Amino acid sequence: MDHKKHIPYSPIQYEESEMLNRVDAFYELMNKRRSVREFSEKDVPKEIIDQVIRTASTAPSGAHKQPWTFCVISNKDLKKKLRTLAEEEEERNYNGRMSERWLNDLAPIGTDAIKEFIDIAPWIIVVMKKSFDFDEEGKKTNNYYVNESVGIASGMLIAAIHNAGLVTLTHTPSPMNFIAKLLERPENERPYLLLPVGYASETCTVPDLERKSLEEIAIYYS
Ligand code: IYR
């Protein structure tokens, strides 16, 4: 068996007062995040996108397999094609595939089959999950807890995008296999999320939502 060498690790630590300041500041920052559907065409430098993707890839993953690929699209023609195909699928979702109850739950959010953000936002990141991989000889290798791992990396990506002062949206066109085909991805990759990234439009609005209180989401066993 191939055992990797372990090395010493000194985690960053803070005094309790400093910790309190930091958790408050981070909560305030994250509590300002909103899913945005109205984007500006204003460009965002590629270095910003590179760095938020590096941050996402610091996520923990099953057996450290990092079972993800981030497909990053800025090409206008490709964005247009992606939008057309996504809207075709969504048309079928909103007009038949989604249940009455689901449509009711979505009503306050105000989504529909029109996905103009796909060709307006300067960047589209498609997060791909790799259900398996290939070794140097082309033999299939296993990945583990792929959904959990890619979900965590996606959360970290969203946090990094927000931290940069940009906005995004978790779009889940379903079924998403048209994306893998369009992007000519190999058979071990499946689309997981599509994230438009950029600035919010100046006239952007968001639904008036409230977040659950701590009491509603946490149970302490002291
Ligand atoms: N995939 C569709 C529908 C949709 C589903 C959920 I759950 C949402 O929170 C929002 C939208 C779409 O992206 O429009």
Side-chain angles (χ1 to χ4, degrees), residues 37 90 93-94 98 102 106 109 111-113 115 117 170-174:
R37 291 177 172 75
E90 290 302 344
N93 288 335
Y94 282 87
M98 293 194 307
W102 191 348
L106 283 182
I109 304 180
T111 58
D112 58 25
K115 302 298 172 192
F117 52 77
T170 50
H171 177 43
T172 49
S174 165

Side-chain angles (χ1 to χ4, degrees), residues 69-71 73 82 124-129 147 150-158 161 168-173 176 179 183 190-196:
T69 302
F70 299 90
C71 295
I73 307 161
L82 198 57
I124 303 292
I125 303 179
V126 181
V127 183
M128 309 291 288
K129 65 174 182 182
N147 278 322
V150 180
I152 297 166
S154 299
M156 291 176 58
L157 178 61
I158 292 165
I161 291 166
T168 187
L169 164 71
T170 50
H171 177 43
T172 49
M176 290 207 273
I179 303 181
L183 301 179
R190 298 261 182 281
Y192 183 82
L193 278 181
L194 184 159
L195 299 161

Side-chain angles (χ1 to χ4, degrees), residues 12 16 27-28 47-48 55 77 87 95-96 100 116-117 155 158 174 187 216:
I12 306 168
E16 260 175 41
Y27 168 72
E28 293 302 331
E47 300 89 281
I48 307 282
T55 304
D77 291 339
E87 287 181 340
N95 299 306
E100 223 24 60
E116 58 197 2
F117 52 77
I158 292 165
S174 165
E187 52 161 335
E216 291 170 286

